[in-house]
Short mmCIF file of all heavy atoms in Angstrom, two decimals:
data_model
loop_
_atom_site.label_atom_id
_atom_site.label_comp_id
_atom_site.label_asym_id
_atom_site.label_seq_id
_atom_site.Cartn_x
_atom_site.Cartn_y
_atom_site.Cartn_z
N MET A 1089 112.08 97.46 88.90
CA MET A 1089 112.39 96.60 90.01
C MET A 1089 113.16 95.39 89.47
O MET A 1089 112.74 94.77 88.52
CB MET A 1089 111.09 96.18 90.70
CG MET A 1089 111.32 95.32 91.90
SD MET A 1089 109.86 95.13 92.93
CE MET A 1089 109.74 96.76 93.60
N ILE A 1090 114.24 95.09 90.10
CA ILE A 1090 115.07 93.97 89.69
C ILE A 1090 114.92 92.84 90.70
O ILE A 1090 114.98 93.06 91.90
CB ILE A 1090 116.55 94.40 89.62
CG1 ILE A 1090 116.71 95.51 88.59
CG2 ILE A 1090 117.44 93.21 89.28
CD1 ILE A 1090 118.08 96.13 88.57
N PHE A 1091 114.69 91.63 90.20
CA PHE A 1091 114.63 90.47 91.07
C PHE A 1091 115.13 89.26 90.31
O PHE A 1091 115.25 89.29 89.08
CB PHE A 1091 113.21 90.24 91.61
CG PHE A 1091 112.16 90.02 90.56
CD1 PHE A 1091 111.86 88.75 90.11
CD2 PHE A 1091 111.46 91.09 90.05
CE1 PHE A 1091 110.89 88.55 89.15
CE2 PHE A 1091 110.47 90.90 89.10
CZ PHE A 1091 110.19 89.62 88.65
N ARG A 1092 115.42 88.20 91.05
CA ARG A 1092 115.85 86.96 90.41
C ARG A 1092 115.09 85.80 91.05
O ARG A 1092 114.66 85.89 92.19
CB ARG A 1092 117.35 86.76 90.52
CG ARG A 1092 117.87 86.55 91.91
CD ARG A 1092 119.41 86.40 91.92
NE ARG A 1092 119.90 86.34 93.28
CZ ARG A 1092 120.02 85.22 93.99
NH1 ARG A 1092 119.70 84.07 93.46
NH2 ARG A 1092 120.47 85.25 95.22
N VAL A 1093 114.95 84.74 90.28
CA VAL A 1093 114.26 83.55 90.75
C VAL A 1093 115.26 82.40 90.69
O VAL A 1093 115.88 82.17 89.64
CB VAL A 1093 113.03 83.23 89.87
CG1 VAL A 1093 112.31 81.99 90.37
CG2 VAL A 1093 112.10 84.42 89.79
N ASP A 1094 115.43 81.68 91.80
CA ASP A 1094 116.36 80.55 91.77
C ASP A 1094 115.63 79.29 91.29
O ASP A 1094 114.44 79.30 91.00
CB ASP A 1094 117.04 80.34 93.12
CG ASP A 1094 116.10 79.94 94.25
OD1 ASP A 1094 114.99 79.47 93.96
OD2 ASP A 1094 116.49 80.09 95.42
N LYS A 1095 116.36 78.18 91.17
CA LYS A 1095 115.80 76.96 90.60
C LYS A 1095 114.69 76.35 91.46
O LYS A 1095 113.94 75.51 90.98
CB LYS A 1095 116.90 75.93 90.36
CG LYS A 1095 117.58 75.43 91.61
CD LYS A 1095 118.68 74.45 91.28
CE LYS A 1095 119.35 73.97 92.57
NZ LYS A 1095 120.39 73.01 92.28
N ASN A 1096 114.59 76.76 92.71
CA ASN A 1096 113.53 76.27 93.59
C ASN A 1096 112.29 77.14 93.55
O ASN A 1096 111.34 76.89 94.29
CB ASN A 1096 114.05 76.18 95.03
CG ASN A 1096 115.20 75.21 95.15
OD1 ASN A 1096 115.13 74.11 94.63
ND2 ASN A 1096 116.25 75.61 95.82
N GLY A 1097 112.29 78.17 92.74
CA GLY A 1097 111.14 79.06 92.63
C GLY A 1097 111.10 80.16 93.67
O GLY A 1097 110.09 80.82 93.84
N ILE A 1098 112.22 80.37 94.37
CA ILE A 1098 112.29 81.42 95.38
C ILE A 1098 112.70 82.72 94.69
O ILE A 1098 113.67 82.76 93.94
CB ILE A 1098 113.29 81.04 96.49
CG1 ILE A 1098 112.82 79.77 97.19
CG2 ILE A 1098 113.45 82.19 97.48
CD1 ILE A 1098 113.82 79.20 98.16
N VAL A 1099 111.94 83.78 94.96
CA VAL A 1099 112.21 85.08 94.36
C VAL A 1099 113.04 85.92 95.33
O VAL A 1099 112.69 86.03 96.50
CB VAL A 1099 110.88 85.81 94.03
CG1 VAL A 1099 111.15 87.15 93.40
CG2 VAL A 1099 110.01 84.95 93.13
N HIS A 1100 114.13 86.49 94.83
CA HIS A 1100 115.01 87.32 95.64
C HIS A 1100 115.01 88.73 95.08
O HIS A 1100 115.09 88.92 93.87
CB HIS A 1100 116.46 86.79 95.57
CG HIS A 1100 116.60 85.38 96.01
ND1 HIS A 1100 116.90 85.04 97.29
CD2 HIS A 1100 116.48 84.22 95.32
CE1 HIS A 1100 116.98 83.73 97.39
NE2 HIS A 1100 116.72 83.20 96.20
N SER A 1101 114.91 89.72 95.97
CA SER A 1101 114.92 91.11 95.54
C SER A 1101 115.26 92.01 96.71
O SER A 1101 115.04 91.67 97.87
CB SER A 1101 113.56 91.51 94.99
OG SER A 1101 113.57 92.86 94.59
N SER A 1102 115.77 93.16 96.39
CA SER A 1102 116.01 94.20 97.38
C SER A 1102 114.80 95.13 97.36
O SER A 1102 114.37 95.56 96.29
CB SER A 1102 117.28 94.97 97.04
OG SER A 1102 117.43 96.06 97.89
N VAL A 1103 114.24 95.41 98.54
CA VAL A 1103 113.07 96.30 98.59
C VAL A 1103 113.34 97.57 99.38
O VAL A 1103 112.43 98.38 99.55
CB VAL A 1103 111.82 95.58 99.16
CG1 VAL A 1103 111.35 94.50 98.22
CG2 VAL A 1103 112.10 95.03 100.53
N GLY A 1104 114.55 97.74 99.86
CA GLY A 1104 114.86 98.95 100.60
C GLY A 1104 116.15 98.81 101.37
O GLY A 1104 116.87 97.82 101.25
N LYS A 1105 116.44 99.83 102.13
CA LYS A 1105 117.62 99.86 102.97
C LYS A 1105 117.19 99.97 104.43
O LYS A 1105 116.09 100.41 104.72
CB LYS A 1105 118.51 101.04 102.60
CG LYS A 1105 119.03 100.95 101.18
CD LYS A 1105 119.98 102.09 100.88
CE LYS A 1105 120.47 101.91 99.45
NZ LYS A 1105 121.81 102.35 99.28
N ALA A 1106 118.08 99.58 105.32
CA ALA A 1106 117.76 99.60 106.75
C ALA A 1106 117.41 101.00 107.25
O ALA A 1106 116.65 101.15 108.19
CB ALA A 1106 118.94 99.04 107.54
N LYS A 1107 117.91 102.02 106.59
CA LYS A 1107 117.64 103.39 107.04
C LYS A 1107 116.27 103.91 106.59
O LYS A 1107 115.83 104.96 107.03
CB LYS A 1107 118.75 104.33 106.58
CG LYS A 1107 118.84 104.51 105.08
CD LYS A 1107 119.97 105.43 104.70
CE LYS A 1107 120.08 105.57 103.19
NZ LYS A 1107 121.17 106.43 102.81
N PHE A 1108 115.56 103.17 105.72
CA PHE A 1108 114.23 103.58 105.28
C PHE A 1108 113.27 103.52 106.46
O PHE A 1108 113.38 102.67 107.33
CB PHE A 1108 113.70 102.67 104.19
CG PHE A 1108 114.31 102.88 102.82
CD1 PHE A 1108 115.38 103.72 102.63
CD2 PHE A 1108 113.81 102.21 101.73
CE1 PHE A 1108 115.93 103.90 101.38
CE2 PHE A 1108 114.35 102.37 100.48
CZ PHE A 1108 115.41 103.22 100.30
N ASP A 1109 112.28 104.42 106.46
CA ASP A 1109 111.28 104.37 107.53
C ASP A 1109 110.29 103.23 107.24
O ASP A 1109 110.24 102.68 106.15
CB ASP A 1109 110.57 105.70 107.72
CG ASP A 1109 109.77 106.15 106.51
OD1 ASP A 1109 109.76 105.45 105.49
OD2 ASP A 1109 109.14 107.22 106.60
N GLU A 1110 109.51 102.88 108.25
CA GLU A 1110 108.61 101.73 108.17
C GLU A 1110 107.60 101.86 107.03
O GLU A 1110 107.33 100.90 106.32
CB GLU A 1110 107.89 101.57 109.50
CG GLU A 1110 106.96 100.39 109.57
CD GLU A 1110 106.27 100.28 110.91
OE1 GLU A 1110 106.73 100.88 111.89
OE2 GLU A 1110 105.24 99.59 110.96
N ILE A 1111 107.05 103.04 106.86
CA ILE A 1111 106.03 103.26 105.82
C ILE A 1111 106.60 103.00 104.44
O ILE A 1111 105.97 102.34 103.61
CB ILE A 1111 105.45 104.69 105.93
CG1 ILE A 1111 104.70 104.84 107.25
CG2 ILE A 1111 104.54 105.01 104.75
CD1 ILE A 1111 104.30 106.25 107.59
N LYS A 1112 107.79 103.49 104.17
CA LYS A 1112 108.43 103.32 102.87
C LYS A 1112 108.72 101.84 102.61
O LYS A 1112 108.51 101.34 101.50
CB LYS A 1112 109.71 104.15 102.79
CG LYS A 1112 110.38 104.11 101.45
CD LYS A 1112 109.53 104.75 100.39
CE LYS A 1112 110.29 104.81 99.08
NZ LYS A 1112 109.42 105.17 97.98
N LEU A 1113 109.18 101.12 103.63
CA LEU A 1113 109.45 99.69 103.46
C LEU A 1113 108.17 98.91 103.17
O LEU A 1113 108.15 98.04 102.29
CB LEU A 1113 110.16 99.13 104.69
CG LEU A 1113 111.62 99.53 104.85
CD1 LEU A 1113 112.15 99.06 106.20
CD2 LEU A 1113 112.46 98.97 103.73
N VAL A 1114 107.09 99.23 103.88
CA VAL A 1114 105.81 98.55 103.64
C VAL A 1114 105.32 98.84 102.23
O VAL A 1114 104.85 97.93 101.52
CB VAL A 1114 104.75 98.96 104.69
CG1 VAL A 1114 103.36 98.46 104.30
CG2 VAL A 1114 105.14 98.44 106.07
N GLU A 1115 105.43 100.07 101.77
CA GLU A 1115 105.04 100.43 100.40
C GLU A 1115 105.86 99.64 99.39
O GLU A 1115 105.31 99.12 98.41
CB GLU A 1115 105.22 101.92 100.16
CG GLU A 1115 104.22 102.80 100.85
CD GLU A 1115 104.54 104.28 100.68
OE1 GLU A 1115 105.55 104.63 100.03
OE2 GLU A 1115 103.77 105.10 101.20
N ASN A 1116 107.16 99.54 99.61
CA ASN A 1116 108.04 98.84 98.69
C ASN A 1116 107.72 97.34 98.64
O ASN A 1116 107.69 96.75 97.57
CB ASN A 1116 109.51 99.05 99.06
CG ASN A 1116 109.98 100.44 98.74
OD1 ASN A 1116 109.28 101.23 98.13
ND2 ASN A 1116 111.19 100.75 99.17
N VAL A 1117 107.48 96.73 99.80
CA VAL A 1117 107.16 95.31 99.84
C VAL A 1117 105.82 95.05 99.15
O VAL A 1117 105.68 94.11 98.36
CB VAL A 1117 107.14 94.79 101.30
CG1 VAL A 1117 106.56 93.39 101.37
CG2 VAL A 1117 108.54 94.81 101.88
N THR A 1118 104.82 95.89 99.41
CA THR A 1118 103.51 95.74 98.79
C THR A 1118 103.61 95.89 97.28
O THR A 1118 103.02 95.10 96.52
CB THR A 1118 102.51 96.76 99.36
OG1 THR A 1118 102.46 96.61 100.79
CG2 THR A 1118 101.13 96.57 98.80
N THR A 1119 104.38 96.87 96.81
CA THR A 1119 104.57 97.06 95.38
C THR A 1119 105.27 95.85 94.76
O THR A 1119 104.89 95.38 93.68
CB THR A 1119 105.40 98.33 95.11
OG1 THR A 1119 104.70 99.44 95.66
CG2 THR A 1119 105.63 98.55 93.63
N PHE A 1120 106.26 95.31 95.45
CA PHE A 1120 106.97 94.13 94.96
C PHE A 1120 106.03 92.94 94.84
O PHE A 1120 106.01 92.25 93.82
CB PHE A 1120 108.15 93.81 95.88
CG PHE A 1120 108.87 92.56 95.51
CD1 PHE A 1120 109.61 92.49 94.34
CD2 PHE A 1120 108.80 91.43 96.31
CE1 PHE A 1120 110.27 91.33 93.99
CE2 PHE A 1120 109.45 90.27 95.97
CZ PHE A 1120 110.20 90.22 94.80
N ILE A 1121 105.21 92.70 95.86
CA ILE A 1121 104.27 91.58 95.83
C ILE A 1121 103.26 91.76 94.70
O ILE A 1121 102.94 90.82 93.98
CB ILE A 1121 103.58 91.41 97.19
CG1 ILE A 1121 104.61 90.96 98.23
CG2 ILE A 1121 102.43 90.42 97.11
CD1 ILE A 1121 104.12 91.00 99.65
N ASN A 1122 102.76 92.98 94.53
CA ASN A 1122 101.83 93.26 93.43
C ASN A 1122 102.47 92.98 92.09
O ASN A 1122 101.82 92.46 91.17
CB ASN A 1122 101.33 94.69 93.49
CG ASN A 1122 100.29 94.91 94.57
OD1 ASN A 1122 99.56 94.01 94.92
ND2 ASN A 1122 100.25 96.11 95.11
N THR A 1123 103.74 93.33 91.94
CA THR A 1123 104.47 93.08 90.69
C THR A 1123 104.58 91.58 90.42
O THR A 1123 104.34 91.13 89.30
CB THR A 1123 105.87 93.71 90.75
OG1 THR A 1123 105.74 95.12 90.97
CG2 THR A 1123 106.63 93.47 89.46
N ILE A 1124 104.92 90.81 91.44
CA ILE A 1124 105.02 89.36 91.28
C ILE A 1124 103.67 88.77 90.88
O ILE A 1124 103.59 87.92 89.99
CB ILE A 1124 105.54 88.70 92.58
CG1 ILE A 1124 106.95 89.18 92.90
CG2 ILE A 1124 105.47 87.18 92.51
CD1 ILE A 1124 107.99 88.84 91.86
N ILE A 1125 102.60 89.24 91.50
CA ILE A 1125 101.26 88.72 91.19
C ILE A 1125 100.87 89.08 89.75
O ILE A 1125 100.30 88.26 89.03
CB ILE A 1125 100.23 89.24 92.20
CG1 ILE A 1125 100.49 88.59 93.56
CG2 ILE A 1125 98.81 88.96 91.74
CD1 ILE A 1125 99.72 89.20 94.70
N LYS A 1126 101.20 90.29 89.30
CA LYS A 1126 100.88 90.70 87.93
C LYS A 1126 101.63 89.87 86.90
O LYS A 1126 101.15 89.66 85.80
CB LYS A 1126 101.20 92.18 87.73
CG LYS A 1126 100.23 93.10 88.40
CD LYS A 1126 100.62 94.54 88.21
CE LYS A 1126 99.72 95.45 89.02
NZ LYS A 1126 100.16 96.84 88.98
N LEU A 1127 102.83 89.38 87.27
CA LEU A 1127 103.63 88.59 86.34
C LEU A 1127 103.28 87.10 86.37
O LEU A 1127 103.88 86.31 85.65
CB LEU A 1127 105.12 88.76 86.67
CG LEU A 1127 105.67 90.16 86.45
CD1 LEU A 1127 107.11 90.26 86.95
CD2 LEU A 1127 105.59 90.55 84.99
N LYS A 1128 102.29 86.72 87.18
CA LYS A 1128 101.87 85.32 87.29
C LYS A 1128 101.39 84.82 85.93
O LYS A 1128 100.52 85.44 85.31
CB LYS A 1128 100.74 85.19 88.31
CG LYS A 1128 100.15 83.81 88.40
CD LYS A 1128 98.98 83.78 89.36
CE LYS A 1128 98.33 82.41 89.34
NZ LYS A 1128 97.17 82.36 90.23
N PRO A 1129 101.94 83.72 85.45
CA PRO A 1129 101.47 83.16 84.17
C PRO A 1129 100.02 82.70 84.29
O PRO A 1129 99.59 82.19 85.33
CB PRO A 1129 102.39 81.95 83.94
CG PRO A 1129 103.49 82.07 84.92
CD PRO A 1129 103.03 82.96 86.03
N SER A 1130 99.26 82.87 83.24
CA SER A 1130 97.84 82.49 83.27
C SER A 1130 97.68 80.98 83.43
O SER A 1130 96.65 80.51 83.91
CB SER A 1130 97.13 82.97 82.01
OG SER A 1130 97.75 82.42 80.87
N ALA A 1131 98.68 80.21 83.05
CA ALA A 1131 98.60 78.75 83.18
C ALA A 1131 98.91 78.26 84.59
O ALA A 1131 98.69 77.09 84.89
CB ALA A 1131 99.57 78.10 82.19
N ALA A 1132 99.40 79.13 85.46
CA ALA A 1132 99.75 78.73 86.83
C ALA A 1132 98.49 78.44 87.63
O ALA A 1132 97.58 79.25 87.67
CB ALA A 1132 100.57 79.82 87.50
N LYS A 1133 98.45 77.28 88.25
CA LYS A 1133 97.29 76.87 89.04
C LYS A 1133 97.68 76.76 90.51
O LYS A 1133 98.84 76.63 90.85
CB LYS A 1133 96.77 75.51 88.57
CG LYS A 1133 96.43 75.45 87.10
CD LYS A 1133 95.19 76.25 86.81
CE LYS A 1133 94.84 76.10 85.33
NZ LYS A 1133 94.02 77.15 84.85
N GLY A 1134 96.71 76.80 91.39
CA GLY A 1134 96.95 76.63 92.82
C GLY A 1134 97.48 77.89 93.47
O GLY A 1134 97.37 78.99 92.95
N THR A 1135 98.08 77.71 94.64
CA THR A 1135 98.62 78.83 95.40
C THR A 1135 99.89 79.34 94.73
O THR A 1135 100.85 78.58 94.56
CB THR A 1135 98.94 78.39 96.84
OG1 THR A 1135 97.76 77.84 97.42
CG2 THR A 1135 99.43 79.55 97.68
N TYR A 1136 99.89 80.60 94.35
CA TYR A 1136 101.04 81.16 93.63
C TYR A 1136 102.12 81.63 94.61
O TYR A 1136 103.29 81.39 94.40
CB TYR A 1136 100.59 82.31 92.74
CG TYR A 1136 101.64 82.75 91.76
CD1 TYR A 1136 102.15 81.88 90.81
CD2 TYR A 1136 102.13 84.05 91.78
CE1 TYR A 1136 103.12 82.28 89.92
CE2 TYR A 1136 103.10 84.46 90.89
CZ TYR A 1136 103.59 83.57 89.95
OH TYR A 1136 104.55 83.97 89.07
N ILE A 1137 101.73 82.30 95.67
CA ILE A 1137 102.68 82.73 96.70
C ILE A 1137 102.41 81.89 97.94
O ILE A 1137 101.36 82.03 98.56
CB ILE A 1137 102.55 84.23 97.00
CG1 ILE A 1137 102.86 85.05 95.76
CG2 ILE A 1137 103.46 84.62 98.16
CD1 ILE A 1137 102.68 86.55 95.94
N LYS A 1138 103.34 81.02 98.28
CA LYS A 1138 103.13 80.12 99.41
C LYS A 1138 103.54 80.76 100.73
O LYS A 1138 102.92 80.53 101.75
CB LYS A 1138 103.90 78.82 99.20
CG LYS A 1138 103.35 78.01 98.04
CD LYS A 1138 104.04 76.70 97.91
CE LYS A 1138 103.45 75.93 96.75
NZ LYS A 1138 104.06 74.64 96.57
N SER A 1139 104.61 81.54 100.72
CA SER A 1139 105.05 82.22 101.95
C SER A 1139 105.87 83.43 101.57
O SER A 1139 106.39 83.53 100.46
CB SER A 1139 105.86 81.28 102.84
OG SER A 1139 107.08 80.94 102.23
N ILE A 1140 105.98 84.35 102.52
CA ILE A 1140 106.76 85.57 102.33
C ILE A 1140 107.67 85.72 103.54
O ILE A 1140 107.21 85.69 104.67
CB ILE A 1140 105.85 86.81 102.20
CG1 ILE A 1140 104.85 86.64 101.05
CG2 ILE A 1140 106.69 88.07 102.03
CD1 ILE A 1140 103.76 87.67 101.03
N THR A 1141 108.96 85.87 103.27
CA THR A 1141 109.94 86.07 104.33
C THR A 1141 110.81 87.26 103.94
O THR A 1141 111.21 87.38 102.78
CB THR A 1141 110.82 84.81 104.51
OG1 THR A 1141 109.96 83.70 104.75
CG2 THR A 1141 111.77 84.97 105.68
N ILE A 1142 111.08 88.12 104.89
CA ILE A 1142 111.90 89.29 104.64
C ILE A 1142 113.08 89.27 105.62
O ILE A 1142 112.94 88.81 106.74
CB ILE A 1142 111.06 90.59 104.78
CG1 ILE A 1142 111.82 91.79 104.27
CG2 ILE A 1142 110.58 90.77 106.19
CD1 ILE A 1142 110.93 93.02 104.12
N SER A 1143 114.23 89.75 105.15
CA SER A 1143 115.40 89.79 106.04
C SER A 1143 116.38 90.85 105.57
O SER A 1143 116.29 91.33 104.44
CB SER A 1143 116.11 88.43 106.07
OG SER A 1143 116.75 88.19 104.84
N THR A 1144 117.29 91.20 106.45
CA THR A 1144 118.40 92.05 106.05
C THR A 1144 119.39 91.16 105.29
O THR A 1144 119.19 89.95 105.20
CB THR A 1144 119.08 92.67 107.28
OG1 THR A 1144 119.56 91.62 108.11
CG2 THR A 1144 118.11 93.53 108.07
N THR A 1145 120.44 91.74 104.79
CA THR A 1145 121.38 90.98 103.97
C THR A 1145 121.90 89.73 104.69
O THR A 1145 121.90 88.64 104.14
CB THR A 1145 122.56 91.87 103.56
OG1 THR A 1145 122.03 92.99 102.85
CG2 THR A 1145 123.52 91.13 102.66
N MET A 1146 122.34 89.86 105.90
CA MET A 1146 122.91 88.72 106.62
C MET A 1146 122.10 88.37 107.87
O MET A 1146 122.55 87.58 108.69
CB MET A 1146 124.36 89.02 107.02
CG MET A 1146 125.29 89.24 105.83
SD MET A 1146 125.40 87.83 104.74
CE MET A 1146 126.34 86.71 105.75
N GLY A 1147 120.92 88.93 108.01
CA GLY A 1147 120.11 88.70 109.20
C GLY A 1147 119.18 87.52 109.06
O GLY A 1147 119.02 86.95 107.98
N PRO A 1148 118.54 87.15 110.16
CA PRO A 1148 117.58 86.05 110.11
C PRO A 1148 116.31 86.48 109.37
O PRO A 1148 115.95 87.66 109.36
CB PRO A 1148 117.28 85.78 111.58
CG PRO A 1148 117.55 87.07 112.26
CD PRO A 1148 118.68 87.71 111.49
N GLY A 1149 115.64 85.53 108.75
CA GLY A 1149 114.40 85.81 108.04
C GLY A 1149 113.24 85.97 108.99
O GLY A 1149 113.16 85.30 110.02
N ILE A 1150 112.31 86.85 108.64
CA ILE A 1150 111.10 87.06 109.42
C ILE A 1150 109.92 86.77 108.50
O ILE A 1150 109.79 87.38 107.44
CB ILE A 1150 111.02 88.51 109.94
CG1 ILE A 1150 112.22 88.82 110.82
CG2 ILE A 1150 109.71 88.74 110.68
CD1 ILE A 1150 112.36 90.29 111.14
N LYS A 1151 109.07 85.83 108.90
CA LYS A 1151 107.90 85.50 108.08
C LYS A 1151 106.88 86.63 108.14
O LYS A 1151 106.63 87.18 109.20
CB LYS A 1151 107.26 84.20 108.55
CG LYS A 1151 108.04 82.98 108.15
CD LYS A 1151 107.14 81.77 108.24
CE LYS A 1151 107.74 80.65 107.46
NZ LYS A 1151 107.15 80.43 106.19
N ILE A 1152 106.31 86.94 107.00
CA ILE A 1152 105.28 87.98 106.90
C ILE A 1152 103.92 87.28 106.79
O ILE A 1152 103.75 86.35 106.00
CB ILE A 1152 105.51 88.85 105.64
CG1 ILE A 1152 106.91 89.47 105.65
CG2 ILE A 1152 104.43 89.91 105.50
CD1 ILE A 1152 107.17 90.42 106.78
N ASP A 1153 102.97 87.73 107.59
CA ASP A 1153 101.62 87.18 107.58
C ASP A 1153 100.90 87.65 106.32
O ASP A 1153 100.68 88.85 106.13
CB ASP A 1153 100.88 87.64 108.84
CG ASP A 1153 99.49 87.03 108.97
OD1 ASP A 1153 99.11 86.18 108.13
OD2 ASP A 1153 98.81 87.38 109.94
N ARG A 1154 100.52 86.72 105.45
CA ARG A 1154 99.86 87.08 104.20
C ARG A 1154 98.43 87.56 104.41
O ARG A 1154 97.81 88.05 103.48
CB ARG A 1154 99.85 85.90 103.24
CG ARG A 1154 101.22 85.51 102.78
CD ARG A 1154 101.20 84.40 101.78
NE ARG A 1154 100.11 83.47 102.01
CZ ARG A 1154 99.64 82.65 101.10
NH1 ARG A 1154 100.15 82.63 99.91
NH2 ARG A 1154 98.65 81.83 101.38
N THR A 1155 97.88 87.42 105.62
CA THR A 1155 96.51 87.85 105.86
C THR A 1155 96.43 89.31 106.30
O THR A 1155 95.34 89.80 106.57
CB THR A 1155 95.85 86.96 106.93
OG1 THR A 1155 96.56 87.09 108.16
CG2 THR A 1155 95.82 85.51 106.51
N LEU A 1156 97.56 90.01 106.37
CA LEU A 1156 97.53 91.43 106.73
C LEU A 1156 96.75 92.20 105.68
O LEU A 1156 96.81 91.89 104.49
CB LEU A 1156 98.96 91.97 106.83
CG LEU A 1156 99.82 91.40 107.96
CD1 LEU A 1156 101.25 91.89 107.83
CD2 LEU A 1156 99.26 91.79 109.30
N PRO A 1157 96.02 93.24 106.08
CA PRO A 1157 95.18 93.98 105.12
C PRO A 1157 95.94 94.50 103.90
O PRO A 1157 95.45 94.41 102.79
CB PRO A 1157 94.62 95.14 105.95
CG PRO A 1157 94.67 94.65 107.35
CD PRO A 1157 95.86 93.73 107.43
N ASP A 1158 97.13 95.04 104.09
CA ASP A 1158 97.90 95.57 102.97
C ASP A 1158 98.27 94.48 101.97
O ASP A 1158 98.28 94.69 100.77
CB ASP A 1158 99.18 96.26 103.45
CG ASP A 1158 98.91 97.59 104.13
OD1 ASP A 1158 97.79 98.12 103.96
OD2 ASP A 1158 99.80 98.08 104.83
N LEU A 1159 98.59 93.30 102.47
CA LEU A 1159 99.00 92.21 101.60
C LEU A 1159 97.83 91.41 101.09
O LEU A 1159 97.89 90.83 100.01
CB LEU A 1159 99.97 91.28 102.35
CG LEU A 1159 101.25 91.94 102.83
CD1 LEU A 1159 102.11 90.93 103.59
CD2 LEU A 1159 102.02 92.55 101.70
N LYS A 1160 96.72 91.41 101.81
CA LYS A 1160 95.52 90.68 101.37
C LYS A 1160 94.99 91.32 100.09
O LYS A 1160 94.57 90.62 99.18
CB LYS A 1160 94.45 90.72 102.46
CG LYS A 1160 93.35 89.70 102.24
CD LYS A 1160 92.33 89.77 103.35
CE LYS A 1160 92.67 88.77 104.40
NZ LYS A 1160 91.63 88.64 105.42
N ALA A 1161 95.07 92.64 99.99
CA ALA A 1161 94.63 93.32 98.78
C ALA A 1161 95.54 92.98 97.60
O ALA A 1161 95.09 92.91 96.47
CB ALA A 1161 94.61 94.83 99.01
N ALA A 1162 96.81 92.73 97.88
CA ALA A 1162 97.76 92.39 96.83
C ALA A 1162 97.56 90.97 96.33
O ALA A 1162 97.79 90.69 95.16
CB ALA A 1162 99.19 92.56 97.34
N ALA A 1163 97.16 90.07 97.20
CA ALA A 1163 97.00 88.66 96.81
C ALA A 1163 95.65 88.46 96.18
O ALA A 1163 95.42 87.80 95.29
CB ALA A 1163 97.16 87.75 98.01
#
């Protein structure tokens, strides 16, 4: 999985294509979040993931609820 982090700490990555079905996109997003959590430095304190927003390349962002069961297990 390839991702980049900008100077503000925002992580950018591609998790799928618009033609993917919903199940595949949810699996990809969950895997991506798990990867980010696994890479968390042990010295990092406090809330590591403050918010999650997903969007198409040029579309508006949609906030993802971190309390969803699939994502709660990842956090």
Side-chain angles (χ1 to χ4, degrees):
M1089 182 166 290
I1090 299 172
F1091 59 90
R1092 66 182 174 88
V1093 181
D1094 65 19
K1095 65 181 180 179
N1096 298 314
I1098 298 172
V1099 180
H1100 302 268
S1101 179
S1102 173
V1103 293
K1105 297 184 179 214
K1107 66 181 178 181
F1108 285 8
D1109 63 359
E1110 182 180 342
I1111 295 170
K1112 185 65 175 168
L1113 286 173
V1114 169
E1115 288 175 359
N1116 287 353
V1117 170
T1118 304
T1119 300
F1120 175 69
I1121 292 169
N1122 285 331
T1123 301
I1124 296 299
I1125 291 169
K1126 287 178 187 173
L1127 295 174
K1128 174 184 175 182
S1130 59
K1133 304 289 183 201
T1135 304
Y1136 192 61
I1137 298 177
K1138 293 185 180 180
S1139 66
I1140 303 169
T1141 305
I1142 191 168
S1143 71
T1144 60
T1145 302
M1146 298 300 288
I1150 301 169
K1151 285 199 163 257
I1152 304 297
D1153 184 4
R1154 294 183 327 160
T1155 62
L1156 294 173
D1158 288 343
L1159 299 179
K1160 195 180 266 188

